[in-house]
Amino acid sequence: QVTLVESGGGLVQAGGSLRLSCVPSGSIVSINIMGWYRQAPGQEREMVATIGRDLVTKYAEFVKGRFAISRDFDKNTLFLEMNNIEPEDTAVYYCVANTYRRHWGQGTQVTVSP
């Protein structure tokens, strides 16, 4: 079992920056891919970015060039650096970790004001 705890969400003005963090606990040696998903009100949950144990990354088109995912194995933390944030980025952001199944965090709210 893997438990994920996110932090770093909040209210930010358009054009600003935020850094989300996710700390896994439990069977962390079994984790291969980690990532971030988000869900805006009335919309389906969508992938934002993922990163493997080999640090290969994948991004959704709508965040390319603005967001950066990273993984610090020493600190056992996953990050999402969000820059040039847009009002359309308002959503609950979820940390995910894949072992033999997908594990989800509880989510952290990001709200972007115009």
Side-chain angles (χ1 to χ4, degrees):
Q1 183 65 21
V2 172
T3 301
L4 305 169
V5 178
E6 303 103 330
S7 61
L11 177 63
V12 61
Q13 284 190 323
S17 299
L18 275 178
R19 188 174 77 161
L20 306 183
S21 300
C22 171
V23 179
S25 62
S27 301
I28 60 175
V29 294
S30 301
I31 297 174
N32 42 65
I33 295 174
M34 295 191 73
W36 295 94
Y37 279 63
R38 72 184 188 185
Q39 186 168 23
Q43 297 187 19
E44 294 186 355
R45 196 169 294 189
E46 58 186 357
M47 187 275 287
V48 175
T50 62
I51 184 168
R53 293 187 66 88
D54 54 4
L55 302 183
V56 172
T57 58
K58 179 180 178 181
Y59 292 94
E61 284 295 324
F62 54 77
V63 301
K64 280 185 178 179
R66 300 189 299 123
F67 293 6
I69 189 171
S70 60
R71 192 168 173 179
D72 188 327
F73 291 101
D74 289 337
K75 296 181 179 179
N76 187 37
T77 304
L78 177 74
F79 298 101
L80 183 69
E81 193 74 38
M82 306 168 65
N83 298 307
N84 194 22
I85 297 176
E86 303 170 351
E88 293 74 22
D89 295 320
T90 294
V92 177
Y93 284 72
Y94 296 91
C95 176
V96 299
N98 290 350
T99 57
Y100 65 92
R101 68 175 184 89
R102 177 162 291 170
H103 305 266
W104 295 87
Q106 81 286 354
T108 185
Q109 176 71 46
V110 173
T111 302
V112 185
S113 61

